[in-house]
Amino acid sequence: MDYKNMKFKVANGNDRGLCCGGCCRSDHQLNTYDWLADVVNDPDKTDLVEVQFKNTRKGYYHNVNNLQLTKGDTVAVEASPGHDIGVVTLTGRLVALQIKKANLKSADDIKRIYRLAKPVDLDKYEEAKSRENDTMIQSRQIAKDLGLKMKIGDVEYQGDGNKAIFYYIADERVDFRQLIKVLADTFHVRIEMKQIGARQEAGRIGGTGPCGRELCCATWNKNFVSVNTNAARFQDISLNPQKLAGMCGKLKCCLNYEVDNYVEAAKRMPSKEISLHTGDAEYFVFKTDILAGTVTYSTDKNLAANLVTISAERARTVIKLNRRGEKPDVLEEERHRKPADKPIDLLANADLSRFDKNKRPKRQNNNKQKADKREVAAPQNGQQPRKEQPRQREQQPDRRKQKPQQRAQEGKNDNNANRPRRENQRRQGSQPGNGQQQKQ
């Protein structure tokens, strides 16, 4: 393959999936993988098409004109009034299953697809989309001036620019009839108000969660289930509001992901209210590891003292023995008991005779060996042995090992040191009468 001339595209933003019929690259959220995209002549194939608009808003339409639509195509669909612009996200048999999840009660909610979007349609759509941010800021100021206790979180214009949807959040019931009149006179479009919750707002805005990944509500989670603190209790998670709350300020949706596994595993754990009695002490539950199936017991009810970790099966066995009036000697099983720690004898394998061995004599320098020989040598002609001479020689530096520059420097230092003595000798030799005295 010619890799030099190939064109690569770097994924950014909300890009997901691979370039294939089932899951093409798209910048929209909540995409569904079409694992039946490569099925040819599917007898259950329908004309239903899933179209996605801004953020999390989706719609389902009939392809009455039998257009050859694939995932990622931009189409113009029926709206009330006018038309809207969206992107095809799913086709084929799986759309019927998505409609069941969306809980569409009437078939009238399914409208038609007009055509593939033309350049004129895309220009109007981009123009309308560019006004959304300014419209949202102005609408917030208008709601504040009217004294309404509500927050406008997002504004979405229809593809033809004739309608605008205002998404708002409010804790109480709000009478926004006057607000609609003011907005219609200000922006000259048809106004539609939609109330959403905090989780829907986070899904529309997007962001990154504390886990480091993109928010579930902004990627794949569309149907929100209520979350309560019992999910955290089942999983032995500390009830810290700052850690349990998500970006929306509500409890994290991911608390419900694994709660069923914890509830099922907790059924196999012994009760925390039952204490275990052994021959030496009474043990109370200190902590439990539900997924690992282990329980840690302590001899003190409120403190961690003499902690012993055993399996849930062993704990149930001890409970049965206690109910029959029997007490095991130890809490742990025999095969899991650790041998008692014995003091270590550091001299157990040591040989004490190693201290009796003579050490090898150290090698002496040649200068010291020569000095010793001179000291041992007998004196000649009645002279005393010169013992200080070797020490003086050892103190003097070895001139043969010195570098030429060092020897020259030492010669200069000697000349400078002996210069006063030589000058005195010259002065004494130049005085009269010295020669005669020397001759006498």
Side-chain angles (χ1 to χ4, degrees):
M1 297 179 63
D2 188 5
Y3 292 100
K4 296 183 179 179
N5 298 327
M6 291 181 65
K7 294 181 180 180
F8 298 93
K9 180 183 176 182
V10 179
N12 53 19
N14 295 327
D15 290 355
R16 302 178 187 87
L18 303 174
C19 294
C20 63
C23 188
C24 65
R25 287 201 180 277
S26 175
D27 58 351
H28 292 273
Q29 301 168 353
L30 306 178
N31 287 340
T32 304
Y33 181 78
D34 189 2
W35 49 277
L36 297 176
D38 56 348
V39 176
V40 182
N41 299 326
D42 187 2
D44 298 332
K45 188 174 183 180
T46 63
D47 62 343
L48 293 173
V49 179
E50 182 187 68
V51 180
Q52 184 168 328
F53 303 95
K54 181 182 179 181
N55 294 329
T56 59
R57 186 168 72 92
K58 283 185 177 183
Y60 299 93
Y61 300 88
H62 283 293
N63 185 10
V64 294
N65 297 325
N66 295 326
L67 300 174
Q68 296 296 328
L69 299 177
T70 57
K71 191 172 183 179
D73 292 340
T74 306
V75 293
V77 299
E78 182 182 1
S80 57
H83 68 275
D84 203 352
I85 304 297
V87 178
V88 176
T89 55
L90 191 63
T91 60
R93 192 195 310 180
L94 296 182
V95 181
L97 301 177
Q98 293 292 103
I99 291 176
K100 292 182 180 179
K101 292 175 60 178
N103 295 325
L104 294 179
K105 298 179 181 180
S106 175
D108 298 336
D109 296 336
I110 303 177
K111 297 181 175 59
R112 299 174 296 170
I113 294 179
Y114 288 144
R115 61 184 181 276
L116 291 172
K118 298 179 180 179
V120 179
D121 299 331
L122 296 177
D123 293 340
K124 290 183 179 179
Y125 173 71
E126 294 295 336
E127 181 183 357
K129 190 176 179 181
S130 62
R131 294 183 293 168
E132 292 177 351
N133 189 29
D134 296 337
T135 302
M136 180 182 64
I137 296 174
Q138 294 182 22
S139 61
R140 287 180 178 178
Q141 185 63 35
I142 293 172
K144 184 178 180 181
D145 296 339
L146 295 176
L148 300 178
K149 296 181 179 180
M150 59 182 297
K151 174 187 175 184
I152 299 177
D154 193 12
V155 177
E156 179 182 358
Y157 271 95
Q158 198 170 268
D160 55 1
N162 296 327
K163 179 181 175 182
I165 303 174
F166 291 80
Y167 297 92
Y168 71 95
I169 301 173
D171 296 333
E172 302 176 356
R173 187 177 180 85
V174 180
D175 185 8
F176 45 77
R177 289 177 293 182
Q178 183 64 26
L179 177 64
I180 292 177
K181 294 180 182 179
V182 177
L183 294 178
D185 295 338
T186 305
F187 303 111
H188 305 287
V189 292
R190 185 175 179 179
I191 306 299
E192 180 180 351
M193 305 295 294
K194 278 190 177 183
Q195 185 176 2
I196 59 176
R199 289 187 172 90
Q200 286 83 353
E201 182 190 20
R204 297 187 68 84
I205 297 175
T208 304
C211 59
R213 302 185 63 181
E214 197 172 356
L215 297 179
C216 298
C217 56
T219 52
W220 61 271
N221 192 6
K222 184 178 180 182
N223 299 323
F224 299 100
V225 183
S226 62
V227 186
N228 51 29
T229 56
N230 289 332
R233 290 191 180 96
F234 286 136
Q235 302 175 59
D236 286 341
I237 301 175
S238 61
L239 300 180
N240 188 349
Q242 296 180 353
K243 294 184 178 180
L244 296 182
M247 303 297 292
C248 58
K250 304 294 182 179
L251 292 177
K252 296 178 182 177
C253 298
C254 55
L255 291 175
N256 286 339
Y257 294 169
E258 299 179 356
V259 67
D260 294 337
N261 293 335
Y262 278 89
V263 171
E264 188 67 23
K267 296 178 181 179
R268 300 188 293 268
M269 303 298 293
S271 176
K272 297 181 179 180
E273 304 298 331
I274 300 177
S275 60
L276 305 183
H277 297 270
T278 60
D280 54 355
E282 182 181 1
Y283 291 88
F284 303 92
V285 176
F286 181 72
K287 66 177 181 179
T288 59
D289 191 341
I290 298 177
L291 297 182
T294 59
V295 188
T296 302
Y297 286 89
S298 172
T299 55
D300 195 313
K301 194 172 184 179
N302 300 321
L303 300 176
N306 302 324
L307 298 179
V308 179
T309 302
I310 60 175
S311 62
E313 183 179 358
R314 173 62 178 173
R316 290 195 300 269
T317 302
V318 176
I319 292 173
K320 292 179 181 179
L321 294 175
N322 294 154
R323 288 176 180 176
R324 291 184 305 204
E326 300 178 5
K327 295 182 180 180
D329 296 335
V330 292
L331 195 61
E332 294 179 317
E333 299 182 19
E334 293 294 335
R335 57 179 180 175
H336 295 298
R337 289 185 62 187
K338 297 181 180 180
D341 296 336
K342 298 181 179 179
I344 301 175
D345 188 3
L346 300 177
L347 301 178
N349 299 324
D351 186 9
L352 297 179
S353 62
R354 68 181 185 276
F355 298 106
D356 300 335
K357 296 179 181 180
N358 295 328
K359 297 182 180 180
R360 296 178 60 184
K362 296 182 180 180
R363 297 180 61 183
Q364 298 180 354
N365 296 332
N366 295 331
N367 295 335
K368 292 184 178 181
Q369 293 177 359
K370 293 179 181 180
D372 295 340
K373 290 180 181 180
R374 291 175 181 175
E375 290 177 359
V376 175
Q380 298 178 1
N381 300 329
Q383 296 180 359
Q384 296 181 355
R386 301 174 61 182
K387 297 182 180 180
E388 298 179 357
Q389 187 174 359
R391 296 181 182 177
Q392 295 177 358
R393 290 183 179 180
E394 290 177 1
Q395 294 177 359
Q396 294 179 358
D398 193 356
R399 300 180 60 86
R400 291 176 296 178
K401 297 182 180 180
Q402 294 179 352
K403 295 182 180 179
Q405 296 178 357
Q406 296 178 355
R407 293 199 298 267
Q409 185 66 27
E410 291 179 359
K412 292 180 180 180
N413 295 335
D414 295 338
N415 294 334
N416 295 332
N418 298 328
R419 183 177 297 173
R421 181 174 56 82
R422 291 196 297 268
E423 291 180 356
N424 293 334
Q425 291 178 357
R426 286 197 215 92
R427 292 173 183 174
Q428 292 177 3
S430 61
Q431 292 179 0
N434 288 341
Q436 295 177 2
Q437 294 178 0
Q438 288 177 0
K439 289 180 182 181
Q440 291 179 358

